[in-house]
Amino acid sequence: MDALRHGWPLAIAGAPLLQPVETAFGEVSGDTMLISASRAATLKLANQREAAVPRQPVLLRGAEGFDLAHALAAADPALDLNAPMKGPFKAMPFAWEEQARAALELARIAGILPAFLVDPVGAGEPVALEAADLAEFSDAQALRIASRAHLPVKAAPEAKIVAFRSPDDTREHVALVIGKERSDRPPLVRLHSECLTGDVLGSLKCDCGPQLDAALHAMAHEAGEGGWGVLLYMRQEGRGIGLINKLRAYRLQDQGFDTVDANTRLGLPDEARDFPTAARMLDLLGVRDIRLMTNNPAKVDALAAHGVSITERVPHALPDNPHNARYLATKRDRAGHLLP
């Protein structure tokens, strides 16, 4: 992650040198780029075989090669209106798809654009790794409880906070436990993904802040009735694409794209949240059965697939506003959320 954010190239065993486009510096150039299939589709390559499979890596060759400015224009859809004519491009066959997929996933986790110059001229000293290292980085079983404390919050003055840490991940997740823990009564659980704009700044573009507040108050009410609740606060901004890429998606939404299409144009998935880590957090807390607050049946299925027993799905719908009505409609119509 540190290497990608500093613009250092990756030397993944079995693949050519890969230079992250967004953070690269100096006089770096190359003949080919690695991008995602969804970004390739916006560059009019969807009819080519190598660009036809969603979320697969695409090796892109330009007619005149790429310096950093041209590479960034090909990678960043926010520049499409400024530089609409980028090609011609051709998707090329290649034999290191496992390494390419690992590189694109590492870029997503690092919060940068999923685009690399391939074997570029002028690249610096690379950081060596193997494609298998990605699995170790993503291993939820490495997560451990790092600290616990009493944390009075507005909705529940007797709440407790539990912090979790993994040796290979800089993201530190927390759980807020409200009420007396009981083994005979499944807790009311909310899996809430971090949203700086909504949770902290009160953004009206989403419903994250109100959902967080309502979940805490619902758990406090549950505790008052003899039950308890657990809020999992996950450090996975923008449904897993990171804060900067989320703001890039906002910019594309301002151009008329909905949430799903904005992520696709960035070459990123519309759903990249870390459900295995959420399941591991519950396991470390000793929670086996839960009542899950969500409007998203896919979230129920994802947690169940990782061993969480969900005894009830508790609806968690809130009123819309003029700024987030389209966002909520997209969640309903394209992501399957059960909204009013």
Side-chain angles (χ1 to χ4, degrees):
M1 299 306 101
D2 188 58
L4 289 172
R5 286 173 175 264
H6 281 86
W8 300 334
L10 301 181
I12 305 178
L17 206 65
L18 298 173
Q19 173 77 56
V21 168
E22 179 183 343
T23 54
F25 54 89
E27 299 296 327
V28 182
S29 62
D31 294 328
T32 54
M33 283 180 61
L34 179 70
I35 60 174
S36 74
S38 55
R39 178 57 183 155
T42 69
L43 297 174
K44 311 302 182 186
L45 295 175
N47 61 325
Q48 298 187 28
R49 181 183 61 82
E50 292 83 1
V53 182
R55 300 188 187 177
Q56 292 298 306
V58 174
L59 185 65
L60 184 73
R61 179 177 292 278
E64 299 179 0
F66 302 96
D67 59 19
L68 285 183
H70 288 95
L72 188 60
D76 189 350
L79 303 177
D80 284 348
L81 295 180
N82 298 330
M85 302 298 292
K86 299 181 177 66
F89 297 133
K90 183 176 181 180
M92 307 292 293
F94 62 107
W96 39 278
E97 289 191 7
E98 180 186 4
Q99 293 89 337
R101 284 193 295 270
L104 294 178
E105 178 66 4
L106 287 169
R108 180 195 66 79
I109 295 171
I112 65 173
L113 290 168
F116 294 83
L117 284 169
V118 178
D119 209 10
V121 175
E125 183 177 353
V127 173
L129 69 155
E130 297 184 4
D133 293 338
L134 177 61
E136 294 184 17
F137 177 85
S138 305
D139 183 12
Q141 295 306 306
L143 196 72
R144 297 289 185 270
I145 291 176
S147 184
R148 302 174 185 258
H150 171 228
L151 182 70
V153 297
K154 185 176 180 180
E158 299 303 318
K160 295 180 292 184
I161 191 168
V162 183
F164 301 81
R165 176 186 288 160
S166 175
D168 296 317
D169 191 345
T170 58
R171 298 169 297 178
E172 295 169 338
H173 310 287
V174 299
L176 198 68
V177 180
I178 296 174
K180 185 176 180 180
E181 300 174 41
R182 298 176 52 172
S183 60
D184 63 333
R185 187 163 175 173
L188 186 62
V189 172
R190 172 70 180 167
L191 195 167
H192 187 90
S193 297
E194 176 184 40
C195 179
L196 172 69
T197 50
D199 299 342
V200 179
L201 302 178
S203 168
L204 299 176
K205 284 181 68 71
C206 64
D207 58 345
C208 299
Q211 279 195 335
L212 175 60
D213 188 60
L216 292 174
H217 281 87
M219 291 173 189
H221 176 78
E222 186 80 6
E225 298 294 321
W228 60 302
V230 179
L231 176 86
L232 302 183
Y233 195 84
M234 310 290 296
R235 302 297 301 278
Q236 45 189 12
E237 182 83 46
R239 300 172 76 89
I241 67 172
L243 176 62
I244 302 301
N245 282 329
K246 183 179 84 167
L247 298 183
R248 288 189 173 110
Y250 279 2
R251 185 175 177 181
L252 292 173
Q253 289 170 35
D254 290 340
Q255 296 175 14
F257 299 100
D258 67 21
T259 308
V260 173
D261 287 338
N263 283 29
T264 298
R265 292 184 74 84
L266 285 166
L268 295 164
D270 59 276
E271 176 59 89
R273 286 177 290 185
D274 189 349
F275 294 108
T277 292
R280 174 63 175 166
M281 292 168 69
L282 290 171
D283 183 55
L284 290 171
L285 291 172
V287 176
R288 302 292 180 263
D289 305 310
I290 68 171
R291 298 167 56 229
L292 183 65
M293 295 186 72
T294 184
N295 304 316
N296 185 1
K299 186 182 289 187
V300 175
D301 295 340
L303 287 175
H306 293 285
V308 180
S309 174
I310 300 170
T311 63
E312 180 186 2
R313 184 190 70 81
V314 180
H316 192 45
L318 297 169
D320 63 10
N321 67 61
H323 301 278
N324 70 13
R326 188 187 182 198
Y327 164 77
L328 295 178
T330 299
K331 289 208 293 186
R332 179 193 65 217
D333 298 337
R334 301 194 65 181
H337 287 221
L338 303 176
L339 300 176

PDB file of all heavy atoms in Angstrom, residues 106-137:
ATOM      1  N   LEU A 106      -4.947  -4.541  -5.430  1.00  0.00           N
ATOM      2  CA  LEU A 106      -4.101  -3.763  -4.533  1.00  0.00           C
ATOM      3  C   LEU A 106      -4.300  -2.270  -4.744  1.00  0.00           C
ATOM      4  O   LEU A 106      -4.303  -1.489  -3.780  1.00  0.00           O
ATOM      5  CB  LEU A 106      -2.634  -4.136  -4.743  1.00  0.00           C
ATOM      6  CG  LEU A 106      -2.218  -5.510  -4.208  1.00  0.00           C
ATOM      7  CD1 LEU A 106      -0.824  -5.876  -4.718  1.00  0.00           C
ATOM      8  CD2 LEU A 106      -2.243  -5.526  -2.684  1.00  0.00           C
ATOM      9  N   ALA A 107      -4.490  -1.857  -5.989  1.00  0.00           N
ATOM     10  CA  ALA A 107      -4.758  -0.444  -6.262  1.00  0.00           C
ATOM     11  C   ALA A 107      -6.067  -0.015  -5.610  1.00  0.00           C
ATOM     12  O   ALA A 107      -6.164   1.071  -5.028  1.00  0.00           O
ATOM     13  CB  ALA A 107      -4.796  -0.201  -7.766  1.00  0.00           C
ATOM     14  N   ARG A 108      -7.099  -0.865  -5.689  1.00  0.00           N
ATOM     15  CA  ARG A 108      -8.379  -0.539  -5.051  1.00  0.00           C
ATOM     16  C   ARG A 108      -8.207  -0.380  -3.549  1.00  0.00           C
ATOM     17  O   ARG A 108      -8.691   0.589  -2.949  1.00  0.00           O
ATOM     18  CB  ARG A 108      -9.420  -1.622  -5.338  1.00  0.00           C
ATOM     19  CG  ARG A 108     -10.779  -1.321  -4.688  1.00  0.00           C
ATOM     20  CD  ARG A 108     -11.681  -2.528  -4.660  1.00  0.00           C
ATOM     21  NE  ARG A 108     -11.197  -3.604  -3.815  1.00  0.00           N
ATOM     22  CZ  ARG A 108     -11.310  -3.618  -2.484  1.00  0.00           C
ATOM     23  NH1 ARG A 108     -11.861  -2.607  -1.841  1.00  0.00           N
ATOM     24  NH2 ARG A 108     -10.853  -4.641  -1.781  1.00  0.00           N
ATOM     25  N   ILE A 109      -7.502  -1.317  -2.926  1.00  0.00           N
ATOM     26  CA  ILE A 109      -7.311  -1.265  -1.481  1.00  0.00           C
ATOM     27  C   ILE A 109      -6.516  -0.019  -1.091  1.00  0.00           C
ATOM     28  O   ILE A 109      -6.772   0.608  -0.064  1.00  0.00           O
ATOM     29  CB  ILE A 109      -6.609  -2.546  -0.991  1.00  0.00           C
ATOM     30  CG1 ILE A 109      -7.509  -3.758  -1.231  1.00  0.00           C
ATOM     31  CG2 ILE A 109      -6.265  -2.446   0.490  1.00  0.00           C
ATOM     32  CD1 ILE A 109      -6.831  -5.092  -0.987  1.00  0.00           C
ATOM     33  N   ALA A 110      -5.556   0.360  -1.930  1.00  0.00           N
ATOM     34  CA  ALA A 110      -4.756   1.555  -1.666  1.00  0.00           C
ATOM     35  C   ALA A 110      -5.522   2.840  -1.940  1.00  0.00           C
ATOM     36  O   ALA A 110      -5.067   3.925  -1.577  1.00  0.00           O
ATOM     37  CB  ALA A 110      -3.478   1.526  -2.503  1.00  0.00           C
ATOM     38  N   GLY A 111      -6.675   2.739  -2.599  1.00  0.00           N
ATOM     39  CA  GLY A 111      -7.498   3.911  -2.868  1.00  0.00           C
ATOM     40  C   GLY A 111      -7.050   4.740  -4.040  1.00  0.00           C
ATOM     41  O   GLY A 111      -7.381   5.926  -4.138  1.00  0.00           O
ATOM     42  N   ILE A 112      -6.302   4.129  -4.972  1.00  0.00           N
ATOM     43  CA  ILE A 112      -5.863   4.857  -6.157  1.00  0.00           C
ATOM     44  C   ILE A 112      -6.554   4.280  -7.386  1.00  0.00           C
ATOM     45  O   ILE A 112      -7.185   3.224  -7.328  1.00  0.00           O
ATOM     46  CB  ILE A 112      -4.328   4.797  -6.329  1.00  0.00           C
ATOM     47  CG1 ILE A 112      -3.860   3.362  -6.606  1.00  0.00           C
ATOM     48  CG2 ILE A 112      -3.630   5.380  -5.113  1.00  0.00           C
ATOM     49  CD1 ILE A 112      -2.383   3.260  -6.950  1.00  0.00           C
ATOM     50  N   LEU A 113      -6.428   4.964  -8.519  1.00  0.00           N
ATOM     51  CA  LEU A 113      -7.036   4.489  -9.742  1.00  0.00           C
ATOM     52  C   LEU A 113      -6.435   3.142 -10.155  1.00  0.00           C
ATOM     53  O   LEU A 113      -5.210   2.969 -10.096  1.00  0.00           O
ATOM     54  CB  LEU A 113      -6.819   5.498 -10.874  1.00  0.00           C
ATOM     55  CG  LEU A 113      -7.583   6.815 -10.761  1.00  0.00           C
ATOM     56  CD1 LEU A 113      -7.051   7.819 -11.789  1.00  0.00           C
ATOM     57  CD2 LEU A 113      -9.078   6.593 -10.958  1.00  0.00           C
ATOM     58  N   PRO A 114      -7.256   2.180 -10.579  1.00  0.00           N
ATOM     59  CA  PRO A 114      -6.735   0.870 -10.970  1.00  0.00           C
ATOM     60  C   PRO A 114      -6.162   0.902 -12.379  1.00  0.00           C
ATOM     61  O   PRO A 114      -6.768   0.433 -13.345  1.00  0.00           O
ATOM     62  CB  PRO A 114      -7.982  -0.025 -10.886  1.00  0.00           C
ATOM     63  CG  PRO A 114      -9.115   0.903 -11.197  1.00  0.00           C
ATOM     64  CD  PRO A 114      -8.733   2.241 -10.630  1.00  0.00           C
ATOM     65  N   ALA A 115      -4.976   1.461 -12.500  1.00  0.00           N
ATOM     66  CA  ALA A 115      -4.333   1.589 -13.812  1.00  0.00           C
ATOM     67  C   ALA A 115      -2.822   1.606 -13.622  1.00  0.00           C
ATOM     68  O   ALA A 115      -2.305   2.292 -12.724  1.00  0.00           O
ATOM     69  CB  ALA A 115      -4.799   2.865 -14.513  1.00  0.00           C
ATOM     70  N   PHE A 116      -2.111   0.879 -14.486  1.00  0.00           N
ATOM     71  CA  PHE A 116      -0.657   0.761 -14.388  1.00  0.00           C
ATOM     72  C   PHE A 116      -0.025   0.882 -15.771  1.00  0.00           C
ATOM     73  O   PHE A 116      -0.563   0.343 -16.749  1.00  0.00           O
ATOM     74  CB  PHE A 116      -0.262  -0.603 -13.809  1.00  0.00           C
ATOM     75  CG  PHE A 116      -0.664  -0.827 -12.380  1.00  0.00           C
ATOM     76  CD1 PHE A 116      -1.946  -1.256 -12.068  1.00  0.00           C
ATOM     77  CD2 PHE A 116       0.235  -0.620 -11.349  1.00  0.00           C
ATOM     78  CE1 PHE A 116      -2.330  -1.476 -10.761  1.00  0.00           C
ATOM     79  CE2 PHE A 116      -0.131  -0.835 -10.025  1.00  0.00           C
ATOM     80  CZ  PHE A 116      -1.420  -1.266  -9.728  1.00  0.00           C
ATOM     81  N   LEU A 117       1.089   1.566 -15.848  1.00  0.00           N
ATOM     82  CA  LEU A 117       1.958   1.449 -17.009  1.00  0.00           C
ATOM     83  C   LEU A 117       2.711   0.132 -16.902  1.00  0.00           C
ATOM     84  O   LEU A 117       3.154  -0.257 -15.816  1.00  0.00           O
ATOM     85  CB  LEU A 117       2.950   2.604 -17.072  1.00  0.00           C
ATOM     86  CG  LEU A 117       2.398   3.948 -17.543  1.00  0.00           C
ATOM     87  CD1 LEU A 117       3.418   5.051 -17.305  1.00  0.00           C
ATOM     88  CD2 LEU A 117       2.011   3.885 -19.018  1.00  0.00           C
ATOM     89  N   VAL A 118       2.855  -0.566 -18.017  1.00  0.00           N
ATOM     90  CA  VAL A 118       3.458  -1.896 -18.017  1.00  0.00           C
ATOM     91  C   VAL A 118       4.877  -1.813 -18.546  1.00  0.00           C
ATOM     92  O   VAL A 118       5.113  -1.315 -19.653  1.00  0.00           O
ATOM     93  CB  VAL A 118       2.625  -2.871 -18.865  1.00  0.00           C
ATOM     94  CG1 VAL A 118       3.288  -4.246 -18.910  1.00  0.00           C
ATOM     95  CG2 VAL A 118       1.215  -2.977 -18.306  1.00  0.00           C
ATOM     96  N   ASP A 119       5.813  -2.288 -17.724  1.00  0.00           N
ATOM     97  CA  ASP A 119       7.231  -2.310 -18.080  1.00  0.00           C
ATOM     98  C   ASP A 119       7.689  -0.950 -18.625  1.00  0.00           C
ATOM     99  O   ASP A 119       8.246  -0.859 -19.730  1.00  0.00           O
ATOM    100  CB  ASP A 119       7.490  -3.412 -19.110  1.00  0.00           C
ATOM    101  CG  ASP A 119       8.910  -3.960 -19.010  1.00  0.00           C
ATOM    102  OD1 ASP A 119       9.608  -3.619 -18.042  1.00  0.00           O
ATOM    103  OD2 ASP A 119       9.309  -4.721 -19.895  1.00  0.00           O
ATOM    104  N   PRO A 120       7.472   0.120 -17.864  1.00  0.00           N
ATOM    105  CA  PRO A 120       7.730   1.462 -18.395  1.00  0.00           C
ATOM    106  C   PRO A 120       9.212   1.817 -18.416  1.00  0.00           C
ATOM    107  O   PRO A 120      10.021   1.244 -17.677  1.00  0.00           O
ATOM    108  CB  PRO A 120       6.972   2.354 -17.420  1.00  0.00           C
ATOM    109  CG  PRO A 120       7.041   1.606 -16.128  1.00  0.00           C
ATOM    110  CD  PRO A 120       6.969   0.155 -16.489  1.00  0.00           C
ATOM    111  N   VAL A 121       9.520   2.801 -19.229  1.00  0.00           N
ATOM    112  CA  VAL A 121      10.853   3.396 -19.257  1.00  0.00           C
ATOM    113  C   VAL A 121      10.908   4.470 -18.180  1.00  0.00           C
ATOM    114  O   VAL A 121       9.981   5.268 -18.037  1.00  0.00           O
ATOM    115  CB  VAL A 121      11.143   4.012 -20.638  1.00  0.00           C
ATOM    116  CG1 VAL A 121      12.490   4.731 -20.626  1.00  0.00           C
ATOM    117  CG2 VAL A 121      11.100   2.945 -21.721  1.00  0.00           C
ATOM    118  N   GLY A 122      11.990   4.501 -17.416  1.00  0.00           N
ATOM    119  CA  GLY A 122      12.169   5.537 -16.410  1.00  0.00           C
ATOM    120  C   GLY A 122      11.602   5.215 -15.052  1.00  0.00           C
ATOM    121  O   GLY A 122      11.563   6.083 -14.173  1.00  0.00           O
ATOM    122  N   ALA A 123      11.157   3.968 -14.840  1.00  0.00           N
ATOM    123  CA  ALA A 123      10.602   3.585 -13.542  1.00  0.00           C
ATOM    124  C   ALA A 123      11.706   3.486 -12.499  1.00  0.00           C
ATOM    125  O   ALA A 123      12.861   3.176 -12.809  1.00  0.00           O
ATOM    126  CB  ALA A 123       9.862   2.259 -13.664  1.00  0.00           C
ATOM    127  N   GLY A 124      11.355   3.729 -11.251  1.00  0.00           N
ATOM    128  CA  GLY A 124      12.315   3.624 -10.159  1.00  0.00           C
ATOM    129  C   GLY A 124      12.471   2.199  -9.675  1.00  0.00           C
ATOM    130  O   GLY A 124      12.015   1.239 -10.311  1.00  0.00           O
ATOM    131  N   GLU A 125      13.100   2.065  -8.524  1.00  0.00           N
ATOM    132  CA  GLU A 125      13.337   0.739  -7.951  1.00  0.00           C
ATOM    133  C   GLU A 125      12.008   0.132  -7.512  1.00  0.00           C
ATOM    134  O   GLU A 125      11.243   0.754  -6.785  1.00  0.00           O
ATOM    135  CB  GLU A 125      14.279   0.844  -6.759  1.00  0.00           C
ATOM    136  CG  GLU A 125      14.648  -0.492  -6.149  1.00  0.00           C
ATOM    137  CD  GLU A 125      15.650  -0.362  -5.018  1.00  0.00           C
ATOM    138  OE1 GLU A 125      16.151   0.757  -4.813  1.00  0.00           O
ATOM    139  OE2 GLU A 125      15.892  -1.370  -4.336  1.00  0.00           O
ATOM    140  N   PRO A 126      11.715  -1.101  -7.937  1.00  0.00           N
ATOM    141  CA  PRO A 126      10.407  -1.682  -7.634  1.00  0.00           C
ATOM    142  C   PRO A 126      10.351  -2.328  -6.257  1.00  0.00           C
ATOM    143  O   PRO A 126      11.370  -2.614  -5.630  1.00  0.00           O
ATOM    144  CB  PRO A 126      10.247  -2.728  -8.729  1.00  0.00           C
ATOM    145  CG  PRO A 126      11.653  -3.177  -8.990  1.00  0.00           C
ATOM    146  CD  PRO A 126      12.513  -1.951  -8.823  1.00  0.00           C
ATOM    147  N   VAL A 127       9.129  -2.568  -5.821  1.00  0.00           N
ATOM    148  CA  VAL A 127       8.862  -3.349  -4.618  1.00  0.00           C
ATOM    149  C   VAL A 127       8.448  -4.747  -5.068  1.00  0.00           C
ATOM    150  O   VAL A 127       7.512  -4.895  -5.856  1.00  0.00           O
ATOM    151  CB  VAL A 127       7.744  -2.693  -3.783  1.00  0.00           C
ATOM    152  CG1 VAL A 127       7.350  -3.580  -2.615  1.00  0.00           C
ATOM    153  CG2 VAL A 127       8.183  -1.328  -3.298  1.00  0.00           C
ATOM    154  N   ALA A 128       9.133  -5.757  -4.588  1.00  0.00           N
ATOM    155  CA  ALA A 128       8.893  -7.132  -5.034  1.00  0.00           C
ATOM    156  C   ALA A 128       7.826  -7.802  -4.182  1.00  0.00           C
ATOM    157  O   ALA A 128       7.783  -7.637  -2.956  1.00  0.00           O
ATOM    158  CB  ALA A 128      10.186  -7.930  -4.976  1.00  0.00           C
ATOM    159  N   LEU A 129       6.946  -8.560  -4.834  1.00  0.00           N
ATOM    160  CA  LEU A 129       5.937  -9.348  -4.143  1.00  0.00           C
ATOM    161  C   LEU A 129       5.448 -10.444  -5.068  1.00  0.00           C
ATOM    162  O   LEU A 129       5.853 -10.508  -6.233  1.00  0.00           O
ATOM    163  CB  LEU A 129       4.758  -8.484  -3.689  1.00  0.00           C
ATOM    164  CG  LEU A 129       3.838  -7.897  -4.765  1.00  0.00           C
ATOM    165  CD1 LEU A 129       2.457  -7.631  -4.173  1.00  0.00           C
ATOM    166  CD2 LEU A 129       4.405  -6.606  -5.328  1.00  0.00           C
ATOM    167  N   GLU A 130       4.579 -11.292  -4.551  1.00  0.00           N
ATOM    168  CA  GLU A 130       3.952 -12.342  -5.346  1.00  0.00           C
ATOM    169  C   GLU A 130       2.441 -12.147  -5.310  1.00  0.00           C
ATOM    170  O   GLU A 130       1.906 -11.561  -4.371  1.00  0.00           O
ATOM    171  CB  GLU A 130       4.325 -13.721  -4.797  1.00  0.00           C
ATOM    172  CG  GLU A 130       5.814 -14.022  -4.878  1.00  0.00           C
ATOM    173  CD  GLU A 130       6.145 -15.430  -4.416  1.00  0.00           C
ATOM    174  OE1 GLU A 130       5.190 -16.191  -4.108  1.00  0.00           O
ATOM    175  OE2 GLU A 130       7.329 -15.764  -4.367  1.00  0.00           O
ATOM    176  N   ALA A 131       1.767 -12.653  -6.317  1.00  0.00           N
ATOM    177  CA  ALA A 131       0.316 -12.523  -6.374  1.00  0.00           C
ATOM    178  C   ALA A 131      -0.339 -13.142  -5.143  1.00  0.00           C
ATOM    179  O   ALA A 131      -1.355 -12.652  -4.648  1.00  0.00           O
ATOM    180  CB  ALA A 131      -0.219 -13.164  -7.651  1.00  0.00           C
ATOM    181  N   ALA A 132       0.260 -14.210  -4.617  1.00  0.00           N
ATOM    182  CA  ALA A 132      -0.303 -14.880  -3.443  1.00  0.00           C
ATOM    183  C   ALA A 132      -0.267 -14.005  -2.200  1.00  0.00           C
ATOM    184  O   ALA A 132      -0.996 -14.259  -1.232  1.00  0.00           O
ATOM    185  CB  ALA A 132       0.443 -16.191  -3.184  1.00  0.00           C
ATOM    186  N   ASP A 133       0.589 -12.978  -2.196  1.00  0.00           N
ATOM    187  CA  ASP A 133       0.660 -12.087  -1.036  1.00  0.00           C
ATOM    188  C   ASP A 133      -0.664 -11.377  -0.794  1.00  0.00           C
ATOM    189  O   ASP A 133      -0.976 -10.985   0.339  1.00  0.00           O
ATOM    190  CB  ASP A 133       1.766 -11.043  -1.223  1.00  0.00           C
ATOM    191  CG  ASP A 133       3.155 -11.663  -1.223  1.00  0.00           C
ATOM    192  OD1 ASP A 133       3.298 -12.784  -0.685  1.00  0.00           O
ATOM    193  OD2 ASP A 133       4.087 -11.042  -1.760  1.00  0.00           O
ATOM    194  N   LEU A 134      -1.459 -11.182  -1.849  1.00  0.00           N
ATOM    195  CA  LEU A 134      -2.744 -10.511  -1.706  1.00  0.00           C
ATOM    196  C   LEU A 134      -3.665 -11.299  -0.784  1.00  0.00           C
ATOM    197  O   LEU A 134      -4.381 -10.717   0.044  1.00  0.00           O
ATOM    198  CB  LEU A 134      -3.406 -10.331  -3.076  1.00  0.00           C
ATOM    199  CG  LEU A 134      -4.799  -9.702  -3.079  1.00  0.00           C
ATOM    200  CD1 LEU A 134      -4.765  -8.292  -2.502  1.00  0.00           C
ATOM    201  CD2 LEU A 134      -5.370  -9.685  -4.491  1.00  0.00           C
ATOM    202  N   ALA A 135      -3.652 -12.621  -0.906  1.00  0.00           N
ATOM    203  CA  ALA A 135      -4.502 -13.453  -0.053  1.00  0.00           C
ATOM    204  C   ALA A 135      -4.121 -13.307   1.411  1.00  0.00           C
ATOM    205  O   ALA A 135      -4.987 -13.266   2.295  1.00  0.00           O
ATOM    206  CB  ALA A 135      -4.415 -14.914  -0.489  1.00  0.00           C
ATOM    207  N   GLU A 136      -2.826 -13.206   1.684  1.00  0.00           N
ATOM    208  CA  GLU A 136      -2.386 -13.028   3.065  1.00  0.00           C
ATOM    209  C   GLU A 136      -2.819 -11.669   3.598  1.00  0.00           C
ATOM    210  O   GLU A 136      -3.236 -11.531   4.744  1.00  0.00           O
ATOM    211  CB  GLU A 136      -0.874 -13.185   3.151  1.00  0.00           C
ATOM    212  CG  GLU A 136      -0.379 -14.585   2.826  1.00  0.00           C
ATOM    213  CD  GLU A 136       1.115 -14.735   3.025  1.00  0.00           C
ATOM    214  OE1 GLU A 136       1.710 -13.872   3.703  1.00  0.00           O
ATOM    215  OE2 GLU A 136       1.682 -15.708   2.507  1.00  0.00           O
ATOM    216  N   PHE A 137      -2.735 -10.645   2.759  1.00  0.00           N
ATOM    217  CA  PHE A 137      -3.155  -9.311   3.179  1.00  0.00           C
ATOM    218  C   PHE A 137      -4.639  -9.298   3.499  1.00  0.00           C
ATOM    219  O   PHE A 137      -5.081  -8.603   4.423  1.00  0.00           O
ATOM    220  CB  PHE A 137      -2.852  -8.306   2.065  1.00  0.00           C
ATOM    221  CG  PHE A 137      -3.314  -6.908   2.378  1.00  0.00           C
ATOM    222  CD1 PHE A 137      -2.520  -6.045   3.107  1.00  0.00           C
ATOM    223  CD2 PHE A 137      -4.554  -6.461   1.950  1.00  0.00           C
ATOM    224  CE1 PHE A 137      -2.944  -4.767   3.406  1.00  0.00           C
ATOM    225  CE2 PHE A 137      -4.992  -5.181   2.231  1.00  0.00           C
ATOM    226  CZ  PHE A 137      -4.185  -4.330   2.970  1.00  0.00           C
TER     227      PHE A 137
END
